[in-house]
């Protein structure tokens, strides 16, 4: 059995030798180069585009403007499609738009023989605009006087939903309650995968092929079809190895435009390679969310009534839209179940870059607000932050009526105990009391709520295919994608165990090609190991049955009496060797009497979902006069069920923690209030953490096997990013007594906060 | 009109010469003329380190290095690390063993920085290693396992383990 | 592929000067870590370039007979940091340029390029101001040597004549002898960053380490170009080495500096930083000098 072992990544050899092929490495050098012209206003209308000078530039093949493209609106979110029209994603994008909704909107495109000619042409195009007022802030966007960004959405509200439990208004009348009323802000941040988005397209035999750096090849095929009004079967999408995604590539980005550009140059090969600047501005960002939480509590810390108002900044187009805010709201209600809850959330268009999916999907924002307030309440009531959590956290046995998720285990307490022990919590809490001086230390923690996969909001299914090769090895294909997280390795481990083979006999086909790869919706919602595991187990068992059936025929032993262990067919009862799978495979395929290509393929649809919980503890040091926070130690503890591969799980947690550290302290997109332009659209001005901004990152686990899962596993991809920012924020609170209610806690923010509180 | 220049240099120990467009970066030359896919484009302005190569023993972002400047230089890329018979170098093996690889896009550049560190023959503290590796941005690993891979390889080379 | 109209490669200083006269519109290219980035941005796209990067005679650090330290303009930051002369006499400069960007940028970036850019955030510049460095320019009629404070004219503009290139930076012996220097780069992260505010201090204490004989303090990003805080310098001369002196000194800088509000930092925050960094850098210099506060 290989599930549970820290085997080496199956793609690591190629990656450390530089021979792994990413999209650009595969593109033929003869490709035409496409570049997009982005708007230099934030809101308005393109009146005219003069391409006459640009067309004269040597090497320019074709210029297409917003006035040339079909007026076909399409959605871009990487959600499974819904045949129920009311549940479909908002279709509000055009290939190129004459109505500009953010600074950097796509208004024209150039196809040229080379990059320099394409860039020169972009600079030579003259655009005439009619400018409208713009709005970057959610509350302003909701006001009646705000400019309307999409005509069918009054007050710019894309989505509004609410939840209610008990009777909030009645409950708050109880005598002696203490009220906590706070606002928390999170910023617009970007995924910053190191490989920018890139795709290329060409036509073969009247069909379009798009090779793209995506998390969701099957969804890309559908959206390209929708955008170009082509039958979906006319499109082939190929996904090679990709240099990270984190949710940005869980959206359809420039694939439809690139495919379209190929069609206007006779189906020739066209490559559209995004720049880092375009990645920051013209693709997707994380929703900036403002949360207002009111909590009424008894003096002993028992929550009596809670209210949430959540305002999510959607930016200029719908993309994943309201689902992010809604997920945050669901978390609020469930994490600290309270008899009386009122929650409502708004997703609001603004003229910022488009917000979409990003690791954690609304939960990092929700956790910052929720977990910050827990510490604010603890401080206000003079209770320990751990005590108040233990009193109110979701209890064992809790069942959510909507998702039917059950909290089967005492995960929270188990995780908190591990975190406490590692960070030496009790001793440090004592040690850090009553500090004075410029350098002050603090300790803080936060828990997180997450769930796995998208049921019951959307379809949740996954398909796989296994083919027995002549040597007794198998090839495994899934629509679920390797995006750097190690999915292929986990799939290989699960497939090996499902069939009864050793790992060297399993070949996971990494590349998805929608012409041949079974349907799967791709890497998002931390779903793949969970849902993929179910289809792998099912298909693996089917394949095994077919192998054993043939073995039964050859050996004369009843197939039900046979099993496969370590590549050998043995008898169940006395573990006697019958034959090896390799012998069977070659016999079956080349049999002159009964030739069989032994394969299996199946779809597994689930109507379940699984909670995935844990916590983060941070030990920080604040240099007050320098307005800087240094993290001295930090740990995440996760219960993602059974670990398929502990070493890779740990690595996954490190990456999420790193993203959380940036979220807490340094990362944000900054917009010019006068022009609406993103000021820091590059990796120098956008402060992603470097090697020198991290301490050692500790990752630990609690393993409670998930009952609804084939291999006991559940979400781990996104959760690590969720609890880090509030843990650091609470540590700063512990160190300085200053409650910082917005992230990132940059020196600018701390300067203001420390000045206000009289520390400097 | 396009302007070309003959550039003679050594790439991974092999003497080569190539007419290059003077507008080309070293990244362009290595990727397009020599098909060195380990040299990655991540930002093209010297901020991410994905295109890092060794030139005369020092690390450079090849994206902001003109190809014509390669004249007479000794250039090393990740392709040159594996032996002729397919044996990985210790640092490559360490990246596999320590799970320091995820999406793999920053990996070639980081390994080449590690090569410069390891070949200096010196010992470094973890803080010094972090500084020497700080020209590389990575979004997957939190740098943790990369640092561990470099640390372990360094300790082995210095005979400390 | 860069959008470059033509590239002229100079093989010697003489050759570079000839090319300067022949192609007056051309932009000089040293290590390229700024110029190439600007070409890519479109700011300097389609221009002619004179590459001086291959002129090896402009590399290296030497000690002149009179004790002045001469740094060839194309010496990379990392070579300055590793240089034995720098380590022995002006370690503060080696430390300052070791905070530029990243190891890769420190290998390509040159001290000449860093100063010729004329930007206030250059990590070498404030230390060169604090060291009263001289700039050597070579033109068709020979060499011209000017103080670095005169070399900077305004943001982005330095004093280079159409037939000149900058060939060296000189640190006069009397400016470093018996001084201890310290540079603090304040930035938003610990690597790969530009300076929010940089502060470089040089201190000469009396023999008994009790009195500030001379202090020179310079800033980056406290105004449009790197600058000295002369009022603070005048104030501290002859004062006793003490916490109070240091505190007062650090507040005096406010009458000299002129930071502005920008999205990178507010004026108020930069002023706060300027005083805090002055205090911390001065304190460190006293420590390096063997004094106590």
């Amino acid at each position: 059995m290989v599930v549970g072992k820290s085997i080496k990544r199956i793609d690591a050899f190629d990656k450390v030798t530089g021979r792994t092929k990413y999209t650009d490495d595969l593109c033929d050098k003869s490709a035409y180069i496409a570049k997009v012209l982005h708007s230099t206003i934030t809101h308005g209308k393109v009146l005219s585009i003069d391409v006459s000078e640009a067309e004269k530039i040597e090497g320019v093949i074709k210029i297409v403007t917003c006035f040339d493209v079909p007026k076909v609106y399409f959605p871009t979110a990487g959600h499974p499609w819904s045949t129920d029209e009311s549940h479909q994603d908002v279709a509000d994008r055009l290939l190129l738009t004459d109505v500009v909704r953010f600074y950097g909107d796509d208004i024209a495109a150039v196809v040229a023989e080379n990059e320099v000619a394409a860039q020169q042409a972009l600079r030579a195009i003259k655009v005439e605009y009619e400018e409208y007022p713009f709005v970057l802030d959610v509350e302003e966007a909701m006001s009646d006087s705000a400019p309307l960004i999409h005509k069918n959405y009054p007050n710019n509200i894309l989505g509004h939903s609410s939840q209610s439990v008990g009777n909030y208004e009645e409950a708050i009348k109880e005598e002696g309650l203490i009220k906590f009323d706070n606002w928390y802000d999170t910023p617009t941040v970007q995924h910053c995968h190191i490989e920018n988005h890139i795709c290329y397209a060409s036509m073969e035999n009247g069909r379009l092929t798009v090779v793209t750096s995506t998390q969701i090849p099957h969804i890309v095929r559908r959206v390209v079809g929708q955008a170009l009004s082509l039958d979906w079967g006319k499109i082939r999408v190929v996904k090679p190895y990709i240099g990270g995604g984190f949710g940005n590539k869980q959206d359809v980005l420039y694939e439809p435009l690139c495919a379209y550009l190929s069609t206007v140059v006779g189906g020739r090969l066209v490559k559209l390679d995004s720049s880092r600047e375009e990645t920051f501005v013209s693709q997707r960002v994380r929703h900036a969310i403002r949360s207002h939480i009111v909590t009424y509590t008894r003096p002993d810390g028992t929550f009596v009534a809670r209210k949430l108002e959540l305002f999510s900044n959607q930016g200029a187009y719908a993309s994943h839209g309201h689902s992010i805010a809604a997920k945050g709201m669901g978390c609020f209600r469930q994490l600290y179940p309270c008899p009386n809850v009122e929650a409502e959330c708004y997703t609001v268009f603004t003229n910022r870059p488009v917000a979409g999916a990003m690791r954690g999907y609304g939960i990092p924002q929700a956790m910052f607000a929720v977990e910050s307030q827990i510490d604010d309440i603890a401080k206000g009531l003079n209770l320990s932050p751990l005590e108040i959590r233990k009193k109110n956290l979701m209890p064992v046995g809790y069942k959510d009526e909507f998702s039917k998720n059950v909290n089967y285990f005492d995960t929270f307490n188990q995780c908190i105990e591990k975190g406490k022990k590692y960070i030496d919590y009790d001793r440090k809490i004592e040690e850090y009391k009553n500090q004075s001086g410029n350098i002050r230390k603090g300790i803080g923690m936060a828990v997180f709520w997450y769930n796995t996969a998208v049921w019951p909001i959307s379809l949740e299914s996954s398909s796989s295919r296994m083919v027995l090769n002549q040597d007794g090895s198998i090839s495994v294909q899934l629509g679920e994608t390797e995006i750097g997280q190690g999915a292929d390795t986990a799939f290989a481990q699960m497939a090996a165990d499902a069939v009864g083979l050793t790992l060297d006999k399993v070949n996971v086909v990494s590349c998805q090609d929608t012409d041949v790869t079974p349907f799967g919706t791709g890497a998002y919602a931390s779903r793949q190991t969970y849902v993929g595991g179910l289809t792998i187990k099912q298909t693996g068992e089917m394949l095994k049955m077919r192998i054993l059936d043939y073995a039964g025929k050859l050996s004369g032993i009843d197939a039900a009496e046979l099993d496969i262990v370590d590549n050998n067919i043995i008898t169940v009862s006395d573990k006697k060797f019958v034959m090896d799978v390799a012998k069977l495979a070659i016999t079956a395929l080349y049999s002159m009497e009964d030739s069989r290509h032994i394969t299996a393929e199946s779809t597994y649809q689930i109507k379940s979902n699984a909670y995935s919980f844990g916590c983060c503890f941070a030990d920080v040091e604040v240099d007050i006069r320098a307005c800087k926070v240094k993290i001295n130690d930090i740990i995440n503890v996760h219960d993602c069920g059974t670990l398929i591969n502990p070493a890779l799980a740990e690595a996954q947690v490190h990456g999420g923690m790193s993203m959380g550290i940036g979220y807490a302290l340094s990362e944000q997109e900054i917009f010019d209030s006068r022009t609406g332009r993103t000021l820091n659209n590059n990796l120098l001005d956008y402060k992603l953490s470097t090697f020198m901004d991290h301490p050692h990152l500790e990752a630990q686990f609690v393993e409670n096997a998930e009952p609804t899962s084939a291999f006991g596993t559940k979400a781990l991809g996104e959760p690590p990013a969720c609890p880090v920012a509030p843990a650091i924020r609470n540590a700063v609170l512990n160190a300085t007594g200053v409650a910082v209610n917005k992230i990132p806690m940059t020196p600018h923010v701390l300067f203001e906060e420390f000045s206000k509180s009289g520390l400097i | 009109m396009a302007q070309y220049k003959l550039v003679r240099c050594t790439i991974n120990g092999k003497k080569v010469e190539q007419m290059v467009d003077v507008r080309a970066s070293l990244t362009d030359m290595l990727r397009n003329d020599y098909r060195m896919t380990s040299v990655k484009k991540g930002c093209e302005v010297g901020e991410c380190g994905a295109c890092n190569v060794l030139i005369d023993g020092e690390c450079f972002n090849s994206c902001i290095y003109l190809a014509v400047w390669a004249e007479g230089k000794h250039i090393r890329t990740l392709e040159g690390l594996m032996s002729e018979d397919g044996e990985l170098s210790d640092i490559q093996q360490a990246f596999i063993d320590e799970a320091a690889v995820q999406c793999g896009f920053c990996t070639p550049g980081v390994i080449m920085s590690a090569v410069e560190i390891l070949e200096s023959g010196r010992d470094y503290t973890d803080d010094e290693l972090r500084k020497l590796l700080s020209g590389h941005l990575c979004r997957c690993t939190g740098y943790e396992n990369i640092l561990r891979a470099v640390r372990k390889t360094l300790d082995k080379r210095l005979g400390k383990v | 592929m860069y959008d470059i109209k033509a590239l002229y490669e100079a093989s010697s200083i003489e050759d570079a000067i000839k090319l300067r006269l022949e192609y007056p519109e051309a932009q000089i290219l040293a290590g390229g870590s700024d110029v190439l980035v600007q070409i890519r941005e479109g700011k300097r796209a389609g221009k002619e370039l004179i590459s001086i990067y291959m002129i090896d005679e402009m590399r290296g650090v030497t000690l002149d007979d009179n004790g002045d330290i001469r740094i060839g303009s194309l010496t990379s930051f990392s070579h300055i940091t590793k240089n034995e002369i720098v380590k022995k006499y002006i370690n503060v400069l080696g430390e300052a340029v070791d905070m530029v960007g990243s190891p890769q940028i420190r290998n390509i970036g040159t001290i000449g390029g860093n100063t010729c850019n004329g930007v206030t955030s250059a990590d070498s510049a404030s230390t060169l101001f604090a060291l009263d460095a001289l700039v050597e320019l070579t033109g068709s009629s020979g060499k011209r040597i000017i103080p670095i404070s005169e070399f900077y004219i305004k943001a982005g503009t330095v004093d280079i004549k159409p037939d000149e290139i900058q060939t060296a930076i000189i640190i006069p012996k009397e400016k470093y002898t018996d001084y201890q220097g310290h540079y603090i780069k304040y930035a938003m992260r610990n690597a790969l960053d530009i300076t929010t505010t940089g502060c470089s201090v040089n201190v000469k204490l009396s023999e008994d380490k009790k009195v500030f004989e001379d202090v020179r303090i310079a800033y980056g990003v406290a105004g449009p170009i790197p600058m000295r805080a002369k009022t603070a310098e005048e104030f501290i001369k002859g004062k006793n080495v003490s916490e109070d002196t240091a505190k007062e000194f650090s507040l005096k800088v406010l009458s000299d500096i002129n930071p502005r509000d920008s999205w990178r930092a507010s004026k108020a925050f930069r002023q706060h930083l300027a005083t805090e960094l002055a205090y911390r850098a001065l304190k460190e210099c006293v420590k390096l000098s063997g004094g106590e506060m």
Side-chain angles (χ1 to χ4, degrees), chain B residues 10-129:
Chain B
T10 305
I11 300 179
N12 296 328
K14 194 175 144 198
K15 281 187 181 165
V16 295
E17 53 178 59
Q18 178 79 32
M19 287 300 286
V20 301
D21 190 322
V22 299
R23 303 173 301 173
S25 68
L26 183 60
T27 305
D28 293 330
M29 181 179 100
L30 293 172
R31 284 186 64 81
N32 299 340
D33 296 330
Y34 296 100
R35 296 290 194 267
M36 301 228 156
T37 54
S38 78
V39 185
K40 299 292 183 204
K41 292 191 291 180
C43 71
E44 300 185 81
V45 288
E47 287 158 8
C48 77
C51 64
N52 180 48
V53 300
L54 288 179
I55 301 174
D56 289 348
E58 293 181 350
C59 284
F60 286 85
N61 288 318
S62 61
C63 69
I64 51 169
Y65 193 96
L66 288 183
V68 295
W69 291 344
E71 175 68 30
K73 303 281 200 301
H74 285 77
I75 295 163
R76 289 166 67 193
T77 71
L78 182 64
E79 280 84 352
L81 283 196
M82 192 172 72
S83 75
E84 283 298 326
D85 58 7
E87 195 185 333
L88 293 180
S89 63
D90 54 359
I91 185 67
Q92 287 170 302
Q93 190 60 49
F95 266 63
I96 298 177
D97 294 344
E98 300 303 324
V101 178
Q102 290 195 37
C103 84
F105 209 77
C106 75
T107 306
V110 192
I111 292 181
M112 293 317 288
S113 276
V115 167
E116 187 188 342
I117 293 167
L118 294 167
E119 291 181 356
S120 74
R122 281 189 44 200
D123 196 4
Y124 301 93
T125 64
D126 280 0
D127 282 348
E128 286 170 329
L129 285 182

Side-chain angles (χ1 to χ4, degrees), chain A residues 678-690:
Chain A
T678 305
L679 292 165
N680 56 340
N681 61 352
N682 57 71
L683 292 169
L684 180 63
D685 292 319
Y686 181 91
K687 313 296 181 184
L688 178 62
S689 305
T690 72

Side-chain angles (χ1 to χ4, degrees), chain C:
Chain C
M1 195 77 78
Y2 287 100
D3 187 356
I4 296 168
K5 189 175 169 190
L7 180 78
Y8 312 112
E9 285 192 272
S11 55
S12 64
I13 295 172
E14 215 172 69
D15 194 22
I17 293 163
K18 220 175 71 196
L19 288 168
R20 287 278 279 153
L21 289 166
E22 208 172 327
Y23 303 103
E25 298 295 313
Q27 164 72 43
I28 305 172
L29 182 67
S33 58
D34 288 304
V35 172
L36 290 175
V37 170
Q38 288 161 350
I39 290 171
R40 185 181 162 281
E41 274 172 16
K43 272 188 209 156
R44 284 183 157 142
K47 296 256 162 60
E48 298 169 303
L49 298 179
I50 297 171
S51 163
I52 59 169
Y53 187 70
M54 302 295 260
I55 309 178
D56 283 338
E57 61 181 302
M58 279 169 66
R59 293 195 159 85
V61 182
T62 50
L63 201 56
D64 284 352
D65 292 343
N66 63 0
D68 292 356
I69 296 166
R70 192 190 147 82
I71 306 170
S73 289
L74 286 180
T75 312
S76 68
F77 295 128
S78 58
H79 286 202
I80 291 172
T81 303
K82 285 178 198 157
N83 183 272
E84 291 303 326
I85 296 167
V86 171
K87 279 190 197 167
K88 189 167 171 193
Y89 299 110
I90 45 169
N91 196 39
V92 57
L93 182 65
E95 286 177 349
V97 299
D98 198 34
M99 295 175 195
V100 173
S102 66
Q104 283 78 0
I105 297 298
R106 297 194 283 272
N107 284 337
I108 192 72
T110 65
I111 193 155
N114 203 222
T115 48
C116 287
N117 250 332
V119 300
T120 183
S121 59
D123 282 307
S124 67
S126 35
T127 297
L128 294 176
F129 268 69
L131 283 166
D132 272 332
L134 303 171
V135 176
E136 179 194 273
L137 299 135
T138 306
S140 44
S141 53
K143 283 181 182 173
R144 184 163 73 94
I145 293 176
I146 56 171
I148 190 148
S149 56
E150 287 171 30
F151 180 65
Y152 279 77
I153 295 169
K154 60 177 186 182
T157 309
V158 291
D159 181 13
I160 304 181
K161 305 269 184 291
D163 67 333
E164 286 179 340
I165 59 168
Q166 191 209 82
T167 43
I169 300 281
I170 296 160
I171 318 293
K173 184 182 182 194
E174 70 273 18
K175 300 295 183 181
Y176 66 80
T177 310
D178 299 330
Y179 283 84
Q180 290 293 337
H182 186 65
Y183 174 71
I184 302 176
K185 172 178 179 150
Y186 188 97
M188 293 300 139
R189 56 184 175 190
N190 296 320
L192 281 167
D193 213 343
I194 45 172
T195 301
T196 312
T197 300
C199 177
S200 194
V201 174
N202 276 293
V203 167
K204 185 179 184 179
L205 295 186
S206 59
E207 262 183 53
D208 62 1
K209 317 284 184 199
K210 302 278 193 218
V211 176
F212 287 107
E213 265 187 24
D214 190 24
V215 172
R216 296 188 302 256
I217 176 167
Y219 285 100
V221 209
I225 54 173
M227 57 158 64
R228 289 273 285 275
K230 295 276 189 183
T231 313
E233 291 180 2
E234 283 310 313
F235 159 81
I236 201 170
K237 264 179 211 160
K239 293 272 191 306
N240 287 335
V241 174
S242 73
E243 261 311 304
D244 287 349
T245 308
K247 290 267 184 226
E248 215 172 324
F249 165 81
S250 71
L251 290 171
K252 289 280 179 205
V253 304
L254 292 174
S255 49
D256 294 307
I257 61 166
N258 182 28
R260 66 185 185 101
D261 271 314
S262 83
W263 64 269
R264 293 181 196 277
S266 69
K267 180 177 176 168
F269 183 47
R270 282 205 168 100
Q271 285 174 327
H272 166 77
L273 284 178
T275 58
E276 189 61 26
L277 300 187
Y279 169 75
R280 291 185 186 199
L282 184 79
K283 204 169 170 177
E284 184 61 26
C285 288
V286 169
K287 199 174 134 196
L288 290 168
S289 307
E292 264 180 60
M293 263 168 50

